[in-house]
Amino acid sequence: MTRYFTDEHEWIDVDGAQATVGITDYAQGQLGDIVFVELPVIGATVTKGGEAAVVESVKAASDVYAPVSGTVTAANDALGDDPALVNSAPEADGWFFKLTLADAGELEGLMDAAAYQAFVAAL
Amino acid sequence: MESDEMSDQTQNTSDDDIVDEILELPLDSWHRAKGARMVPFAGYSMPIQYEGIIAEHRWTRENAGLFDVSHMGQLIVSGEGEDQALEAILPGDIMGLAEGKMRYSLLLNEDGGILDDLMITRTPTGFYLVVNGAVKWEDIGHLREYLPDEITLNHLDDRALLALQGPKAVDALERIVPGVRRLCFMEADSFLWGEEPLWISRSGYTGEDGFEISVPASHVEALAYALCVQPEVKPIGLGARDSLRLEAGLPLYGHDLDEEIDPISADLSFAVSKRRRMDAGFPGAVPIINAIANGPKTKRVGLLVEGKMPVREGALLFAGAEQIGRVTSGGHSPTLDRPIAMGFVTAAYAKIGTSFEAEVRGKRVPVQVTAMPFVPHHYVRKGAAK
C-alpha cells in the first residue's frame, strides 16, 4: 500500500484499484475542532480536484477535494457520531471515504510523505 | 458586540502606495508567546485561538478566560450638559444613569437603523463609551458631527482593554485588585493596580460573570501576565469569544445588527428607554416608536438546529417554498454539543416553538425557534445573593 498527499492537504492510501482518502494532521491542526463532516454517498463519482466532502470546524466549513477521480465505495460512518476523530486520528480512524480509482495515472504528480513534509515545512 | 469576519482585512485602498495595513495591538507579542494563532480582525492582528476553541470555550464557562479586546474604541464624552447632548444621539435614559452605572445603547441613523451598539457608563469626569473596533472611526466621526462644539470627545487610544470572564473571574481579579468584588453586574469604578489607574466594570460578552478592565497600554502586558499566573485564568481567543456570545444570545454588530436593522426587530427594545419613547428626541425615533406600536415586520430569534450540521451566517430560512428569513450567526454550541443559530424571520414565524427549515448547501435542515439565551446567563446582580 502506498500513501500519497495533495497540496490541498488530503492523503490517499492506494492498494491496487482501491483507495482510502482523508485529511492530513497538518490540515486538522489548521482547521481546529471538527464538529461535523459531510461525506459523499456510496456510488457517487468524484473527479480529481472536485469537491468530495465538507469538513466543518467550530469556525468554518471547508471543502475536501478528491485527490483522484473514482467511484465512492464506502464512507466513514464513525465520523457521524464522533467528528472529532478527524482531530485525534486524522491519518487513521479519521479517514473520510474509500473509492475505486478511475485512472491510476492520476496518482502521478501527487506527493510522497517526504515531499509533503517538505511542502508543509515551507508553508 | 463585535463586527467583521475573522478573515476580514482592513479597508482596501485604490492607492497602490498604501498597502493594507494590519495594525498590532499592545499585547501582540504576548499573544504569540502564548501560542496564539493570529488572524486579521477589525484591522488588527488578533488571536483567534490558543489551545483550541472548544477547550477555551469550556474553560471560560467553568473557570476564567482572559480576552484581549483592545481593538475596541474607548471614548470619553465630557463637558457641561453632556448627558443631555448624548440623549440627542442615543435612545437610552442617559440623564437618569447614575455615576458608576453602565447601560447598553445604540447609535442610530434617521431611519432607525443601527450604526453600532455600545456600552456607556457615567464616570466622575464624563461618560465612558466602549464601541466596536471595526466601526470605531465611523462612530467617532458620527459623534463629532452630532455632539455640540462645547462637548469634548476623547479617544483613549493609549489604553488597552481586557475582559476576564467566567465564574472564577471574581476570585482571580479580587486577588490582584482588591475591592472589585463589591461591583455588581453593569457597575463600574476606578481602581489602582500599583500606581496604575484601572477602570473596571462588571460586565462582558459571554453570559458569565466577569469584568472588563481598561488599563494604560504601557501596562497591559504586565497586567495580562499577572492575571494569567492565577490558577483560574487562561487566555482565550476570538473563536471562543464568538461561540460564547452566541450561546448567550448576544448579537454581534456587522452580523446580527447593521444599518438596515432597527432595535425593535433586533429584540433590543430594552435599549429604548420608556421616557425616551415619550420624548422621541433621538435619531430614528419615529420609525422605532412606530415599530413598537405596530410590531416589527421581522424579528431576531434563536434557532435550535436538528442534527449535527452547523447552520451558519447567510443560510436562508424557509417555510415550505416561502423564504421567511435568514441566519445571521450560527455554529456549534460547545456547551449544548449541538448546532445553534440566530437569525431574522418574518414576525409570523417568530413565536417560540415554531418549526421551519434552513437551507445549507442545497439541503434542508429542520430548525425550531427557541428562547435565548441558549445557555443561562450567570450575572451577579444587585440584591442577589453573592
Side-chain angles (χ1 to χ4, degrees):
Chain A
M1 191 158 65
T2 315
R3 177 166 290 195
Y4 301 90
F5 296 85
T6 74
D7 57 8
E8 296 284 356
H9 306 287
E10 291 99 14
W11 55 265
I12 175 168
D13 276 345
V14 181
D15 190 1
Q18 302 304 310
T20 305
V21 175
I23 67 169
T24 65
D25 187 50
Y26 175 83
Q28 71 76 24
Q30 289 295 307
L31 291 167
D33 298 314
I34 309 280
V35 295
F36 181 77
V37 180
E38 185 173 303
L39 296 167
V41 294
I42 292 167
T45 56
V46 293
T47 314
K48 180 181 168 88
E51 292 166 16
V54 179
V55 59
E56 299 223 24
S57 68
V58 177
K59 216 33 236 170
S62 310
D63 289 319
V64 176
Y65 304 103
V68 294
S69 306
T71 304
V72 175
T73 57
N76 188 357
D77 293 333
L79 300 184
D81 292 332
D82 188 11
L85 268 179
V86 179
N87 293 119
S88 58
E91 300 192 25
D93 292 346
W95 60 276
F96 278 40
F97 59 91
K98 294 178 191 285
L99 54 73
T100 305
L101 298 186
D103 176 7
E106 288 182 344
L107 295 167
E108 280 176 40
L110 298 182
M111 288 175 268
D112 64 14
Y116 179 70
Q117 212 167 24
F119 171 71
V120 165
L123 291 176
Chain B
M1 286 213 352
E2 196 78 61
S3 58
D4 268 9
E5 293 293 340
M6 297 303 166
S7 56
D8 267 8
Q9 306 287 319
T10 46
Q11 307 89 315
N12 282 305
T13 168
S14 54
D15 189 340
D16 289 340
D17 294 335
I18 302 171
V19 183
D20 281 2
E21 196 184 358
I22 302 294
L23 302 172
E24 282 185 9
L25 292 171
L27 277 180
D28 193 88
S29 57
W30 185 86
H31 292 306
R32 293 174 197 274
K34 287 278 178 188
R37 183 176 300 165
M38 306 296 281
V39 296
F41 180 83
Y44 294 92
S45 182
M46 293 190 67
I48 188 163
Q49 66 168 66
Y50 302 81
E51 61 177 309
I53 294 173
I54 292 179
E56 291 167 30
H57 181 114
R58 295 204 170 119
W59 183 267
T60 306
R61 286 265 181 260
E62 290 161 16
N63 299 285
L66 182 68
F67 303 76
D68 179 13
V69 287
S70 302
H71 64 302
M72 300 185 85
Q74 300 181 64
L75 312 173
I76 295 281
V77 175
S78 58
E80 185 74 28
E82 84 278 62
D83 50 1
Q84 206 165 352
L86 281 164
E87 285 206 352
I89 298 173
L90 304 171
D93 180 4
I94 307 303
M95 293 175 75
L97 193 58
E99 194 175 301
K101 304 284 186 186
M102 67 194 291
R103 189 158 285 175
Y104 177 80
S105 197
L106 302 162
L107 291 177
L108 300 165
N109 64 27
E110 291 301 327
D111 300 324
I114 301 172
L115 299 172
D116 197 6
D117 61 348
L118 57 87
M119 286 290 180
I120 178 165
T121 313
R122 190 193 286 267
T123 82
T125 54
F127 284 86
Y128 169 67
L129 279 66
V130 178
V131 302
N132 278 302
V135 288
K136 65 183 173 188
W137 301 111
E138 289 89 335
D139 291 353
I140 290 168
H142 179 84
L143 288 165
R144 288 228 159 95
E145 186 179 346
Y146 288 93
L147 284 171
D149 292 343
E150 62 271 24
I151 303 297
T152 307
L153 176 67
N154 277 314
H155 181 199
L156 306 179
D157 54 4
D158 57 349
R159 292 184 80 88
L161 190 63
L162 299 177
L164 187 68
Q165 300 281 296
K168 296 179 184 170
V170 61
D171 299 328
L173 189 59
E174 178 72 24
R175 219 174 285 135
I176 298 170
V177 187
V180 295
R181 192 184 288 278
R182 69 177 163 75
L183 295 174
C184 291
F185 181 57
M186 299 296 266
E187 290 181 348
D189 206 347
S190 54
F191 293 85
L192 277 179
W193 178 58
E195 294 182 354
E196 294 310 314
L198 305 180
W199 180 258
I200 300 180
S201 62
R202 198 152 192 175
S203 56
Y205 194 45
T206 59
E208 296 299 328
D209 181 27
F211 300 86
E212 290 170 300
I213 308 158
S214 175
V215 52
S218 54
H219 288 74
V220 65
E221 188 163 335
L223 182 58
Y225 177 84
L227 286 166
C228 276
V229 296
Q230 305 304 314
E232 300 92 346
V233 181
K234 283 188 181 182
I236 308 296
L238 291 173
R241 183 170 157 83
D242 193 46
S243 54
L244 288 159
R245 70 90 195 168
L246 179 61
E247 287 185 345
L250 300 171
L252 173 64
Y253 193 78
H255 300 256
D256 310 299
L257 308 177
D258 62 37
E259 291 181 34
E260 304 294 316
I261 294 166
D262 68 83
I264 313 309
S265 306
D267 198 21
L268 301 173
S269 48
F270 71 90
V272 186
S273 303
K274 289 269 159 55
R275 176 172 63 79
R276 306 306 315 285
R277 296 177 194 189
M278 306 300 286
D279 70 43
F282 55 90
V286 171
I288 287 171
I289 290 165
N290 191 37
I292 293 171
N294 301 319
K297 291 192 179 70
T298 64
K299 274 188 181 168
R300 183 170 65 93
V301 295
L303 300 169
L304 286 175
V305 179
E306 198 173 297
K308 286 209 157 190
M309 184 169 69
V311 173
R312 299 183 190 274
E313 181 178 4
L316 300 180
L317 299 167
F318 290 91
E322 186 195 358
Q323 187 194 320
I324 55 149
R326 191 172 151 270
V327 168
T328 51
S329 285
H332 178 77
S333 160
T335 303
L336 304 176
D337 193 25
R338 63 177 297 170
I340 58 174
M342 198 186 282
F344 284 80
V345 295
T346 52
Y349 292 91
K351 211 175 143 217
I352 288 164
T354 309
S355 294
F356 40 88
E357 292 175 318
E359 192 172 277
V360 180
R361 296 187 288 273
K363 286 197 258 310
R364 293 286 184 93
V365 192
V367 299
Q368 188 177 57
V369 177
T370 187
M372 290 193 284
F374 296 96
V375 172
H377 293 162
H378 294 108
Y379 301 139
V380 175
R381 293 184 190 276
K382 204 177 193 79
K386 287 192 194 175

